[in-house]
Amino acid sequence: MKKNIQTEFHTNKSYFYFGTLISLLSMLPQLVFSPNPTHSLFLAITLLLLITIPKFSKILFSVFIIFINLSNILIGHIALHWGYTLADIKPRIEVAFLSPIYESREYIARYIDYRDYGLVLFSLLVLFLLFKFLRHFTHSYKVFRIIGAGVFILILLSVTFYINPIREFEPFSVPCKVCTVIEDKNKIDQILKTREEYIAHIKIPKASKKNQLYDKIIIVMGESVNKSHMALYGYSSPTTPFLTSLQKSKKLYLFNAIAPTNQTRYSIPIELSEANVHYYENRYIHSASIMTHFKANDYETYWISNQGRAGKNDSTITSMASEANTTFFANLNYLDAKTDEVLIEYLNSLQHNSKKEMLLLHLMGSHSDYINRYNKEMALFKNPKNIVEEYDNSIHYSDTILSQIFEKFKKEKLLLIYLSDHGENINLENNGHGFIPPYKDEYTVPFVIYSNVKNPRLDEIYKDNKKGYFNLENFSSIVQYVSGISNHKNLSYSHDVMAVEPNTIVDFETLESFN
């Protein structure tokens, strides 16, 4: 037996070494990206399994190698751009599946770079070696065939006895996670349908007019705004000249707050409805947005957006927008979007209305690519040298949009509110949001309120803010309380924030800063 094994090994030495090389190269990227010893051990065991397979089945070996190399491209991309500390790409798969096509196009244009091309070329090289292996290498294994199959089965049974690699460990869990995300997408369609039925039958009682002080309430929802890049919050560059000047009037209230999530599709539903970080789905389904609450109190409501419109049943945000009396979406996608001045043009086209109005303006703000988000003639940095200056230009441009909104409504009894759906990580090397684990910068957002009417409730919550920063998961309650259509203040000081998806909740205080 021993002599036969030695003979077979020497006779098929090239076949053995070439198969081992392909196995090692296939597992190398994931071994490099592996974030913890347990996952690395599983990958090492997988490598041993791969080495045994060609001894008894070239077809099975080919299937494994092709699957692993395709997984390398996906996992490698996420590890390089977003981090892989949890060895779990499901949140990123969810983002891809649940994003509209125009966002996917923008993502590809922005985040596919030379490293991704390198991964693809590396995988193609391994697959070329596999082709050469299948075509030019043969073996005469007999004893080794039995030993290889036996070792493969033994290792496989041993591993699955203690863990379920198909469900627990990547890359083998990736197909299951894709299937789960597809199921979740179908579930979202049902959620929106159920919510639509709930909104159609909800009855909201009118509040007393005693505390309703405003004729015009304007909520400006920024996009990807990191307050650390606003001069209003102490940034060194003069990115917010209008807001800074308005602060001198003593009518602008500057709050310390964090966003509840680092993803638009969850943050806006949470901020504008009764959903919160810990109870998202059920409370989102069974609560109206502030649009319905203001309508019930005789306000004419407008949803005015410079972001892409998804189908009524495709977007949690569009679902809430449909509650307004009037909706306006300025564009179909981010790539072809005009600057936010298009919203000013729309506002100017509206006839003066003596009725009470509540308008929500959803800016394109500082959504990447930042260089496309501002009017070049109005830029703070006329010839930006880097991405940080481009980002600062987008912040500065949003400030000019706010000044134009203010000019239009300043003679009214006005409540003007500015916040952002989430923050942004930004430095010379990298940028974006939706990292796993996330950074504090993805939640540090502006929250400012201007009132040209004396409002004791506004003074009250400003004093409350001195106790600790607000979590804007209760933003809807704050707006209703300050505007006088509700008597429930319902502030949140929670440190818990959502990271990419509802199942991942982290403590903001434990997060690192991006810089």
Side-chain angles (χ1 to χ4, degrees):
M1 174 69 75
K2 183 179 177 180
K3 187 176 181 181
N4 288 341
I5 292 174
Q6 289 176 336
T7 300
E8 285 188 9
F9 177 78
H10 287 294
T11 304
N12 302 281
K13 191 183 296 183
S14 298
Y15 181 91
F16 176 84
Y17 286 143
F18 208 71
T20 301
L21 175 64
I22 292 171
S23 301
L24 182 59
L25 291 175
S26 296
M27 295 305 302
L28 184 60
Q30 294 194 47
L31 285 165
V32 170
F33 295 128
S34 178
N36 58 66
T38 303
H39 191 244
S40 298
L41 177 61
F42 174 76
L43 295 176
I45 293 170
T46 302
L47 175 59
L48 291 176
L49 284 171
L50 283 179
I51 292 172
T52 65
I53 295 174
K55 313 302 181 292
F56 63 90
S57 175
K58 274 189 171 184
I59 294 175
L60 186 60
F61 181 65
S62 301
V63 170
F64 268 83
I65 294 300
I66 292 170
F67 171 77
I68 289 171
N69 277 278
L70 292 176
S71 300
N72 287 343
I73 297 171
L74 181 61
I75 292 171
H77 168 77
I78 291 170
L80 288 168
H81 293 276
W82 302 101
Y84 193 54
T85 57
L86 301 179
D88 181 10
I89 65 170
K90 180 178 178 290
R92 301 310 314 176
I93 296 174
E94 183 184 51
V95 169
F97 269 84
L98 300 184
S99 297
I101 293 173
Y102 60 81
E103 279 196 1
S104 300
R105 284 174 54 208
E106 186 189 53
Y107 181 90
I108 291 171
R110 184 78 183 98
Y111 287 102
I112 303 297
D113 62 20
Y114 68 94
R115 295 172 294 179
D116 299 287
Y117 298 137
L119 272 172
V120 171
L121 288 174
F122 181 83
S123 294
L124 289 176
L125 171 63
V126 177
L127 294 179
F128 174 73
L129 294 177
L130 176 65
F131 169 76
K132 300 286 285 183
F133 178 71
L134 297 175
R135 181 160 186 164
H136 300 292
F137 287 80
T138 58
H139 67 79
S140 58
Y141 289 137
K142 291 181 181 178
V143 177
F144 254 109
R145 186 192 297 262
I146 298 170
I147 294 174
V151 172
F152 175 82
I153 293 170
L154 183 63
I155 295 176
L156 198 60
L157 289 175
S158 299
V159 170
T160 53
F161 181 78
Y162 292 102
I163 57 174
N164 187 342
I166 300 300
R167 294 183 62 86
E168 301 294 336
F169 284 93
E170 295 180 357
F172 300 110
S173 63
V174 170
C176 293
K177 290 174 180 177
V178 171
C179 292
T180 301
V181 170
I182 293 173
E183 290 173 4
D184 289 344
K185 188 178 189 306
N186 295 332
K187 184 180 177 183
I188 288 173
D189 294 338
Q190 184 58 47
I191 286 173
L192 296 176
K193 183 178 178 181
T194 304
R195 183 174 190 273
E196 185 179 356
E197 293 171 355
Y198 175 82
I199 298 299
H201 296 93
I202 191 173
K203 294 189 184 301
I204 297 174
K206 285 187 179 182
S208 167
K209 296 187 181 295
K210 181 178 67 173
N211 297 311
Q212 296 182 34
L213 306 175
Y214 303 101
D215 293 329
K216 308 296 178 185
I217 297 173
I218 317 292
I219 299 172
V220 182
M221 180 69 71
E223 167 68 48
S224 305
V225 183
N226 183 335
K227 72 178 182 183
S228 299
H229 283 255
M230 297 176 67
L232 185 68
Y233 279 92
Y235 188 51
S236 57
S237 296
T239 52
T240 55
F242 165 69
L243 287 176
T244 302
S245 66
L246 199 60
Q247 190 179 27
K248 297 174 184 176
S249 70
K250 306 297 183 184
K251 296 177 181 178
L252 186 74
Y253 294 78
L254 185 65
F255 292 93
N256 189 14
I258 58 173
T261 87
N262 59 353
Q263 290 285 301
T264 301
R265 71 179 184 278
Y266 292 118
S267 64
I268 292 182
I270 288 176
E271 289 171 348
L272 301 183
S273 75
E274 293 176 19
N276 61 34
V277 171
H278 284 280
Y279 301 99
Y280 173 75
E281 182 181 307
N282 189 55
R283 291 195 181 180
Y284 171 71
I285 293 173
H286 298 103
S287 67
S289 79
I290 57 174
M291 291 293 162
T292 294
H293 285 277
F294 277 98
K295 275 201 303 186
N297 285 276
D298 301 321
Y299 279 83
E300 188 77 11
T301 57
Y302 298 80
W303 187 289
I304 304 168
S305 175
N306 194 25
Q307 300 213 4
R309 178 174 195 159
K312 185 176 180 181
N313 294 319
D314 297 330
S315 166
T316 53
I317 297 172
T318 307
S319 172
M320 293 190 302
S322 67
E323 296 174 50
N325 296 114
T326 301
T327 60
F328 172 76
F329 287 86
N331 64 81
L332 296 176
N333 61 64
Y334 293 129
L335 293 177
D336 303 326
K338 298 177 182 178
T339 58
D340 285 323
E341 201 160 0
V342 68
L343 300 185
I344 304 300
E345 294 171 5
Y346 179 78
L347 285 178
N348 291 336
S349 73
L350 297 175
Q351 292 185 347
H352 181 267
N353 192 338
S354 58
K355 289 183 63 177
K356 296 189 298 183
E357 294 179 305
M358 195 283 281
L359 301 91
L360 187 144
L361 286 81
H362 192 187
L363 305 184
M364 186 61 76
S366 298
H367 197 290
S368 61
D369 287 340
Y370 314 127
I371 198 170
N372 297 323
R373 303 302 172 222
Y374 56 88
N375 186 318
K376 307 304 182 290
E377 288 73 30
M378 301 168 65
L380 177 63
F381 299 98
K382 300 299 182 184
N383 297 294
K385 303 181 185 66
N386 52 56
I387 199 167
V388 173
E389 291 188 355
E390 291 172 6
Y391 182 76
D392 288 349
N393 277 345
S394 72
I395 299 289
H396 180 264
Y397 183 70
S398 292
D399 187 73
T400 66
I401 296 298
L402 285 167
S403 71
Q404 293 177 66
I405 295 170
F406 175 78
E407 285 298 318
K408 182 172 178 61
F409 294 101
K410 68 180 181 179
K411 294 180 180 178
E412 309 278 358
K413 292 180 179 178
L414 174 65
L415 182 71
L416 174 64
I417 303 170
Y418 178 58
L419 72 160
S420 181
D421 53 357
H422 53 75
E424 187 85 340
N425 298 319
I426 181 78
N427 62 25
L428 295 175
E429 286 76 37
N430 204 353
N431 68 290
H433 58 271
F435 288 77
I436 295 290
Y439 295 91
K440 281 188 173 180
D441 304 62
E442 297 173 62
Y443 303 93
T444 52
V445 294
F447 180 33
V448 298
I449 300 178
Y450 169 85
S451 172
N452 58 11
V453 176
K454 182 64 178 175
N455 187 342
R457 290 188 172 189
L458 192 48
D459 292 324
E460 181 186 339
I461 69 160
Y462 184 68
K463 186 180 293 184
D464 289 331
N465 192 232
K466 303 301 181 184
K467 301 173 187 176
Y469 53 76
F470 292 156
N471 186 322
L472 293 178
E473 63 179 352
N474 283 3
F475 173 74
S476 174
S477 297
I478 293 174
V479 176
Q480 292 179 59
Y481 181 72
V482 170
S483 64
I485 67 168
S486 169
N487 293 321
H488 302 289
K489 190 162 50 172
N490 196 23
L491 302 174
S492 172
Y493 296 96
S494 173
H495 297 174
D496 291 343
V497 291
M498 191 186 293
V500 179
E501 60 176 356
N503 293 332
T504 309
I505 296 174
V506 297
D507 184 345
F508 173 78
E509 290 295 328
T510 67
L511 302 179
E512 295 181 0
S513 295
F514 190 65
N515 293 312

